[in-house]
Amino acid sequence: MSFDDIIDRFGTHCAKWDMMEPIYGVPAEDGISMWVADMDFRPPQVVQQAVEKMAAHGIYGYWGSETEYRDAICWWMQTRHGWSVDPNWIFSTHGLVHGTGMCVDTWTEPGDGVVLMTPVYHAFARVIRAAGREVVECELVNENGRYEMDFETWDAKMTGREKLLILCSPHNPGGRVWTRAELEGVAAFAKRHDLILVSDEIHHDLVYPGHDHTPMTLIEGIDDRLVMMTASTKTFNIAGTHTGNVIIPDAELRKAFGARMAGLGLSPNSFGIAMTTAAYSPEGAAWVDELVTYLDGNRRLLDDSVNAIPGLSSMQMESTYLAWVDCTGTGMERAEFTRRVEQGARIAINHGPSFGKGGENFLRFNFATPRSVVAQAMERLGTAFGDLQ
C-alpha cells in the first residue's frame, strides 16, 4: 500500500467524512475533511491479515487468553520506548476517552477538581464535566509559537480541591514533545498538590526526527501516583476498535482501578485484541517508520503553505499529525477566519475554543491524508485568504 492512495471513505459510517457536511456545512461533493483525528490510510498488511483470518473463521465468540496480546504490548513498549512493562499492570479499556472517564470515576468524587493544561484535547473536559467534576484550566504559555509550562502561575491556582491531573504527552493540539526537564516539573507539581497523574501518551509513536518522547513512568519517583494510558489505535489508524490500555505500575492504584473495572463488568473486544497484537510486531514497527516519514513530508508542506499566508502561523510540530494554526495575525474575528476556511476553502477543521483556554484564535488541521489532498487544501486556503497576500 502507498500512503498516496486515495481511499473513498464516504458512505462507510466514517465520522470524519460522512459528518463533515452536517456538522460544518462543508459540502460533501468537493469538501476536504481535516478535523477528526484519524488517518485516511489503511493499517499495515499484518493488521489487515489478522482481521481477514478472523473473518475466514467466521465465528466471533468470547476471547480466551490475553497472554499474547499483553506480551505484544510489553514488547512494543520495551523496543520502541525503552519502557519495561509487567503484563499484570495492563488494563484494557474501551479506548482512551473511556480510560480517562474510568480514571475520573476511580480517583475523584463529584465536585472535585481535575487539572488540564489547556488548550488540550477536547474530550478530556467533556468527560470531566459530564461526570460532575470541575475542570481546572492551567493555561500553557505560547512563547513565540511554542507552548511552555508555567508552574508558578499554576501553583497559585490550586485550592486543595483538585485530585487529578491529566497530562497529554505528546501534546494535542500543540504538537509538543515535552522534555525530560518539563516532565520532571509535572511530576513535582503533582507531588506538591497531592494529585494522581494520568499521562495520556496516545501519540507517543508519532514523533518527528530530532525529538525523543520520554514516557512519564521513566521520570524517577512518580510511579506511586502515576497512571499511564497508551493505545495502538492512533498509531495504526484502528480507532474504530476502541481499544486502549491503562497501565499502572503501583499496586495500590492498580487495586483501585481494577475494582472499578470489575464492578462495571468491562472487558476488551476480540477484534481490538487481534488487531493490536498484530500491529505491535516488527512488521508493524517498519510500517510506523514509513508512516512518520510520510507525515513529516505532509507537515512541512502544510507549515510552508500556512506560514506563507500573512496573518496565519502554524505552530511548529514535534509530534502528531494535527497542525495547530494561529489566526490572530489576520486581525479577523473568529467567525470570519473560520468562515473563510470552511465556506471559502471548503475544509472542515476543529475549532480552537473546544480545546479550552488559549485556543480561541486557533484552528486544528489533520494532515494524515494523501499528500495530494494536503496540497489541494493548502492551495484552497491560500485562495481563501488571497486578499491578505
Side-chain angles (χ1 to χ4, degrees):
M1 172 228 158
S2 168
F3 295 115
D4 288 320
D5 292 345
I6 303 293
I7 301 169
D8 184 2
R9 299 183 66 189
F10 282 111
T12 62
H13 297 283
C14 168
K16 181 178 179 182
W17 290 90
D18 288 340
M19 300 306 294
M20 174 175 64
E21 187 164 16
I23 294 176
Y24 294 101
V26 175
E29 57 268 19
D30 69 345
I32 297 176
S33 187
M34 302 182 82
W35 62 296
V36 171
D38 67 20
M39 300 187 282
D40 293 323
F41 309 133
R42 292 190 178 93
Q45 188 61 29
V46 67
V47 172
Q48 189 67 19
Q49 288 168 347
V51 177
E52 290 171 356
K53 182 178 179 180
M54 293 179 72
H57 181 57
I59 297 178
Y60 310 106
Y62 292 111
W63 194 268
S65 172
E66 296 180 14
T67 298
E68 187 180 2
Y69 162 70
R70 291 168 179 262
D71 286 347
I73 294 169
C74 295
W75 178 85
W76 188 265
M77 299 309 161
Q78 180 65 62
T79 58
R80 302 293 286 191
H81 299 286
W83 170 26
S84 297
V85 175
D86 185 320
N88 295 311
W89 298 351
I90 302 170
F91 297 91
S92 291
T93 59
H94 191 65
L96 291 193
V97 174
H98 175 229
T100 300
M102 286 296 299
C103 290
V104 170
D105 184 65
T106 302
W107 289 294
T108 70
E109 299 292 337
D112 285 346
V114 180
V115 180
L116 298 179
M117 300 173 183
T118 60
V120 73
Y121 178 46
H122 43 73
F124 293 156
R126 184 180 73 235
V127 167
I128 293 163
R129 293 189 177 110
R133 278 67 164 173
E134 178 189 355
V135 175
V136 179
E137 296 189 61
C138 289
E139 191 173 345
L140 294 162
V141 177
N142 187 345
E143 190 69 40
N144 297 318
R146 176 185 169 89
Y147 281 134
E148 305 286 351
M149 297 178 177
D150 183 3
F151 295 110
E152 184 176 349
T153 298
W154 299 350
D155 282 333
K157 288 180 68 75
M158 298 298 102
T159 65
R161 291 183 295 105
E162 302 80 15
K163 304 300 181 186
L164 195 72
L165 164 63
I166 300 175
L167 173 69
C168 193
S169 177
H171 183 253
N172 167 20
R176 274 297 317 276
V177 175
W178 305 116
T179 65
R180 181 175 286 270
E182 288 169 323
L183 295 176
E184 288 170 348
V186 172
F189 178 81
K191 290 178 184 178
R192 280 197 301 276
H193 301 288
D194 195 20
L195 304 172
I196 299 293
L197 172 57
V198 177
S199 187
D200 182 340
E201 307 196 4
I202 197 168
H203 293 279
H204 63 170
D205 292 313
L206 306 177
V207 175
Y208 296 118
H211 304 281
D212 293 303
H213 170 75
T214 301
M216 190 72 212
T217 190
L218 298 187
I219 301 302
E220 188 175 351
I222 192 64
D223 275 356
D224 63 342
R225 63 180 65 246
L226 177 65
V227 177
M228 297 284 288
M229 297 204 305
T230 70
S232 60
T233 51
K234 201 68 65 181
T235 303
F236 294 97
N237 201 33
I238 53 175
T241 67
H242 284 281
T243 302
N245 296 112
V246 175
I247 304 176
I248 307 178
D250 181 78
E252 288 302 312
L253 295 179
R254 204 160 56 242
K255 180 179 178 181
F257 193 84
R260 294 305 298 135
M261 290 283 288
L264 294 171
L266 299 170
S267 59
N269 76 80
S270 58
F271 280 90
I273 292 176
M275 294 167 77
T276 296
T277 304
Y280 283 160
S281 63
E283 295 89 345
W287 183 88
V288 171
D289 291 341
E290 293 176 8
L291 170 69
V292 171
T293 298
Y294 190 86
L295 290 175
D296 196 28
N298 281 4
R299 177 190 64 83
R300 291 194 299 271
L301 171 60
L302 185 142
D303 279 353
D304 290 346
S305 301
V306 167
N307 293 332
I309 300 172
L312 297 185
S313 175
S314 179
M315 189 166 278
Q316 184 174 353
M317 288 167 284
E318 300 168 355
S319 178
T320 87
Y321 50 72
L322 304 164
W324 192 229
V325 176
D326 189 352
C327 303
T328 305
T330 64
M332 298 175 186
E333 296 293 325
R334 181 164 59 86
E336 172 59 16
F337 63 69
T338 303
R339 183 195 65 79
R340 289 189 181 216
V341 176
E342 292 180 343
Q343 302 307 312
R346 304 182 303 289
I347 303 171
I349 32 76
N350 289 107
H351 299 176
S354 68
F355 296 85
K357 290 181 180 178
E360 295 80 7
N361 289 323
F362 283 82
L363 299 172
R364 193 186 76 170
F365 290 72
N366 174 354
F367 57 84
T369 196
R371 192 158 301 153
S372 61
V373 177
V374 177
Q376 183 183 22
M378 293 303 98
E379 183 177 348
R380 290 185 185 184
L381 196 68
T383 300
F385 290 92
D387 57 317
L388 303 182
Q389 311 261 356

